[in-house]
Amino acid sequence: MEWSIDIESKAAVCGDDDTLRNPSTPSSESRPKDKPDTPRVNRITALPRWIFGKLKKKRTGEEDQKLPMPEVFIRKLQDCPIGYPRLAAFLDSDENFMIYRRFGYAGSRLLLHKQAELQKLEAAMIEMDEDDERDRPGCLQSVDLESDPSSPRARLMKDLETKYDEWGKLLNTAKELSFMSRPSGSEYRSVRNYLHATRPLCEDEEPRIDCKEDLVTLRRGREYAWLDVTIERLLKLFRCRAVDYFFRSTETRRKADDDGVSPVYYTRSRIASVVLFIVTTTVVALLIVPIYLLYHLTNGIPQGPHTTAVSMGTLVVFTLIFSWIVAFFSSAKRHEILLAAAAYCAVLVVFFGNVQVIYPDGQATQL
């Protein structure tokens, strides 16, 4: 059986209300549709319209009024009261100043004290086991025989659990503190000089900055920390307006007044950019310079044992320099330094082995 649907009746049933009320009104299908603008034309004409609109607003003084942005809050040292507030602001003003004591001696005393308590409880447990084995055979084969929480063994095990938990927390804390980085010499001197120059706290509560071996820093270990310190020293040594302009942002200058006592802050991101440039330049030079020297040693020069010895010496010297730079410019481990030096030397050897020697008479030979 074939099914057929009258198109006109379907339009009458499914048409909109206006079409049903006013049959003379053309339906949406019969209305002419506006042709959309070509997207390519819109993109081409959008930029000139935007430029002419900006010029018109500027000429008529109808510039877009932008909402004022709130000023970045910077805690200034001189705005903090003298005492703990100013000292806290100083230690928080730079990551290199976050130096605190780890109290290694006090921690060792606590560990020894807890260890002695655990030893006593352990000895009492062993003695109780021996008594139960002698007086009550078989009672040590099941924990259900000592299910009464008021029994001596249950109380002893509860005390042992508490002390052991405290002992574990102390051990983990001591371990984490022992793994923290030690402050560098420049960081230690900066904090020590500031404390001696300002004396922010009373004598009885002054930080024991003289306990250098007991100090730790919250700063994360950086790969080029010594290079950062060297650049910062050079900036302080050759300080001028140009240095302040390029290496001290507006927020950095607002941290403290330039009174000769407060520290001079530099923007860490800008120093890091200089460090990255130095490291990148060094790596590129270590790849180009030895290849350049090897190329000139093997071309246009009469070859002999002397030339070969000089070439091999060049390989050894630059491999040593590369290993030294990897060791001091990064936090690579010993085996990583060995692998990097082997890969670098292999690159130079491959170039040296594949280079063609060109003699003055035009003849070429493969090394």
Side-chain angles (χ1 to χ4, degrees):
M1 180 178 182
E2 297 182 358
W3 293 87
S4 61
I5 301 176
D6 190 359
I7 298 177
E8 295 182 358
S9 62
K10 181 180 178 182
V13 173
C14 301
D16 53 5
D17 296 340
D18 295 338
T19 305
L20 294 177
R21 287 193 299 265
N22 189 7
S24 61
T25 303
S27 62
S28 59
E29 296 180 357
S30 61
R31 295 172 188 169
K33 296 183 179 180
D34 298 334
K35 295 183 179 181
D37 297 334
T38 307
R40 182 175 180 83
V41 176
N42 288 340
R43 288 196 297 267
I44 295 176
T45 59
L47 182 60
R49 287 202 305 268
W50 181 80
I51 295 176
F52 287 132
K54 283 290 184 181
L55 294 176
K56 182 179 180 181
K57 290 182 179 179
K58 185 176 182 180
R59 186 170 57 253
T60 58
E62 298 177 358
E63 283 289 337
D64 296 335
Q65 296 182 357
K66 298 182 179 179
L67 295 176
M69 297 296 294
E71 188 177 6
V72 178
F73 174 73
I74 301 295
R75 180 174 282 104
K76 191 176 181 180
L77 292 182
Q78 285 73 17
D79 294 342
C80 299
I82 298 177
Y84 279 101
R86 183 170 296 186
L87 179 59
F90 167 74
L91 296 177
D92 186 59
S93 61
D94 193 275
E95 62 177 4
N96 293 333
F97 299 156
M98 298 179 180
I99 300 176
Y100 302 92
R101 290 188 60 187
R102 63 183 179 92
F103 293 100
Y105 175 72
S108 299
R109 287 294 304 271
L110 287 174
L111 289 173
L112 290 174
H113 182 72
K114 291 296 180 183
Q115 181 175 274
E117 292 180 349
L118 278 172
Q119 285 179 351
K120 292 179 180 180
L121 293 174
E122 183 185 28
M125 181 185 64
I126 294 174
E127 183 180 0
M128 186 177 294
D129 290 342
E130 294 175 353
D131 294 341
D132 290 340
E133 185 181 9
R134 183 181 61 253
D135 301 335
R136 298 188 302 167
C139 68
L140 298 177
Q141 297 180 357
S142 176
V143 295
D144 295 335
L145 298 177
E146 295 291 344
S147 59
D148 186 8
S150 61
S151 63
R153 178 176 293 277
R155 292 197 302 267
L156 176 62
M157 298 304 294
K158 185 65 177 178
D159 295 340
L160 186 60
E161 179 185 359
T162 303
K163 297 298 181 181
Y164 189 78
D165 185 62
E166 296 175 356
W167 165 257
K169 292 180 180 179
L170 285 175
L171 275 182
N172 288 330
T173 303
K175 179 182 178 181
E176 293 177 0
L177 289 175
S178 64
F179 285 163
M180 296 183 69
S181 302
R182 299 291 193 271
S184 62
S186 60
E187 296 169 351
Y188 171 76
R189 287 190 297 269
S190 299
V191 176
R192 183 193 60 185
N193 295 338
Y194 178 81
L195 293 177
H196 288 176
T198 58
R199 299 287 180 180
L201 305 180
C202 60
E203 185 177 356
D204 295 338
E205 299 183 15
E206 281 188 355
R208 292 295 304 274
I209 195 66
D210 55 326
C211 300
K212 186 176 181 180
E213 297 297 328
D214 196 51
L215 299 177
V216 294
T217 177
L218 303 183
R219 170 189 52 78
R220 296 183 301 173
R222 298 191 304 273
E223 295 184 352
Y224 318 120
W226 68 272
L227 189 55
D228 295 14
V229 173
T230 303
I231 293 176
E232 189 170 350
R233 287 179 181 175
L234 294 177
L235 295 178
K236 293 179 180 179
L237 182 62
F238 301 100
R239 186 183 177 188
C240 59
R241 291 185 176 180
V243 171
D244 290 349
Y245 176 79
F246 286 106
F247 291 94
R248 299 184 66 192
S249 62
T250 305
E251 292 79 7
T252 304
R253 299 180 188 181
R254 289 166 51 192
K255 287 186 177 181
D257 293 334
D258 195 1
D259 53 5
V261 178
S262 301
V264 179
Y265 296 96
Y266 291 95
T267 306
R268 296 295 170 187
S269 59
R270 301 183 181 182
I271 295 179
S273 300
V274 177
V275 171
L276 182 60
F277 173 77
I278 293 175
V279 173
T280 305
T281 305
T282 305
V283 171
V284 173
L286 284 175
L287 290 175
I288 295 178
V289 172
I291 292 177
Y292 177 81
L293 294 178
L294 291 175
Y295 176 79
H296 281 275
L297 285 174
T298 55
N299 285 274
I301 300 177
Q303 302 299 309
H306 178 72
T307 306
T308 305
V310 173
S311 301
M312 297 302 296
T314 303
L315 292 176
V316 173
V317 169
F318 277 93
T319 303
L320 291 176
I321 294 176
F322 177 82
S323 303
W324 179 83
I325 290 178
V326 170
F328 283 89
F329 276 61
S330 67
S331 58
K333 299 179 181 179
R334 295 177 181 177
H335 66 280
E336 295 173 345
I337 297 175
L338 179 62
L339 293 176
Y344 177 79
C345 185
V347 172
L348 298 184
V349 169
V350 169
F351 173 81
F352 181 70
N354 294 331
V355 69
Q356 287 185 348
V357 179
I358 302 177
Y359 292 99
D361 57 358
Q363 297 180 357
T365 182
Q366 192 81 15
L367 285 179

